[in-house]
Amino acid sequence: MADVEPKGVVLLDVLMNTFGHRCRIALAEKGVEYEFRVENLRDKSPLLLKSNPVHKRIPVLIHDGKPVCESPIIVQYIDEAWPHRAPLLPADPYARAQARFWADFVDKKFNECGSRLCDLKGEEQAAAKEEFIGILKLLEGELGDKKYFGGDAFGFVDIVLVPSVSWFYSYENCAGFRMEEAAPKLVAWGKRCMERESVAKTLSDPHKVYEFVDRLRKRSGVE
């Protein structure tokens, strides 16, 4: 089934993938029906290898036979390909640039440092925790007192960041701190986002995420 030439809209992904969750939330927000094809990352399908020959990774969105790769690009494509619903990116060019900047910050700073929190121990982890809390403060500064990062409307930066809410519990348990104490505004934002059906139906259970992280830590000798 996975190798059958796709028609309509198809998402190649795995169930517990924060990058793929972005795409699924965006599709849900736009009301787009699609086929979800679960990939076996140990034995990648010919369709995945054909659709993403450069990186050979998920997620990949295939729309009428044409593949789109990399989750931030996929979310922007979804916004432009289905303009009949509320936009995910602002219309103003400067505001769009700012949204792209903070989405890039999430990938290059937040996600990268969050991974190190779970991969390290001792002094190295302590340094990563200090850096991570600084990143949280920067995100809180951008969020301010707004409902969402773009204001009253749930949008691009929210979609890029919100899958990480499932990882808050893992960050706390791996690095020994409380997200609510370090970044109360960000935690409150995450709870608001979870009230949206598109988010609540997509995100992984935080405890299952931690079980997965704990297995990896034990396998790598961190624990």
Side-chain angles (χ1 to χ4, degrees):
M1 179 64 184
D3 299 337
V4 175
E5 196 66 26
K7 296 179 181 179
V9 183
V10 175
L11 183 65
L12 307 181
D13 198 19
V14 296
L15 292 175
M16 201 170 74
N17 177 22
T18 55
F19 300 106
H21 288 170
R22 297 169 172 178
C23 309
R24 291 161 63 184
I25 291 168
L27 288 165
E29 287 288 330
K30 288 287 187 172
V32 178
E33 293 187 5
Y34 65 98
E35 178 188 348
F36 185 85
R37 295 195 187 181
V38 178
E39 279 289 328
N40 179 355
L41 299 184
R42 294 182 178 179
D43 184 19
K44 297 175 183 177
S45 72
L47 179 59
L48 173 59
L49 298 176
K50 174 186 173 183
S51 301
N52 191 358
V54 176
H55 298 301
K56 301 178 176 63
R57 66 189 178 197
I58 52 170
V60 176
L61 181 78
I62 305 174
H63 182 200
D64 291 336
K66 295 176 288 188
V68 184
C69 307
E70 300 299 299
S71 62
I73 296 171
I74 293 172
V75 173
Q76 292 178 69
Y77 176 84
I78 291 168
D79 193 30
E80 294 170 0
W82 290 278
H84 59 286
R85 288 285 185 98
L88 304 177
L89 278 148
D92 176 72
Y94 180 74
R96 287 172 75 89
Q98 289 299 102
R100 289 181 174 126
F101 172 87
W102 285 106
D104 186 65
F105 178 85
V106 170
D107 277 343
K108 290 181 178 176
K109 291 292 186 179
F110 179 92
N111 286 339
E112 188 277 334
C113 192
S115 294
R116 283 191 280 123
L117 281 184
C118 299
D119 294 340
L120 301 173
K121 60 183 178 180
E123 293 182 1
E124 289 181 322
Q125 188 189 60
K129 180 170 72 172
E130 183 178 352
E131 181 183 350
F132 189 71
I133 290 173
I135 289 168
L136 295 176
K137 298 299 183 186
L138 288 171
L139 285 169
E140 285 208 320
E142 173 59 19
L143 178 63
D145 295 322
K146 303 190 295 288
K147 183 177 182 180
Y148 300 113
F149 278 90
D152 290 333
F154 181 78
F156 184 53
V157 180
D158 305 292
I159 290 173
V160 168
L161 180 59
V162 76
S164 297
V165 170
S166 293
W167 286 73
F168 284 3
Y169 181 73
S170 295
Y171 297 150
E172 291 178 329
N173 282 276
C174 289
F177 73 105
R178 297 291 299 166
M179 284 287 298
E180 192 130 29
E181 293 176 4
K185 288 185 177 181
L186 203 62
V187 170
W189 161 86
K191 290 177 180 178
R192 283 195 297 275
C193 291
M194 284 296 294
E195 294 172 359
R196 303 185 71 85
E197 185 178 4
S198 64
V199 177
K201 285 189 172 182
T202 301
L203 264 57
S204 302
D205 182 292
H207 292 87
K208 290 184 178 179
V209 172
Y210 180 62
E211 288 174 7
F212 169 74
V213 171
D214 192 48
R215 286 197 302 270
L216 291 181
R217 283 167 63 86
K218 288 175 179 175
R219 192 180 304 164
S220 62
V222 176
E223 283 292 341

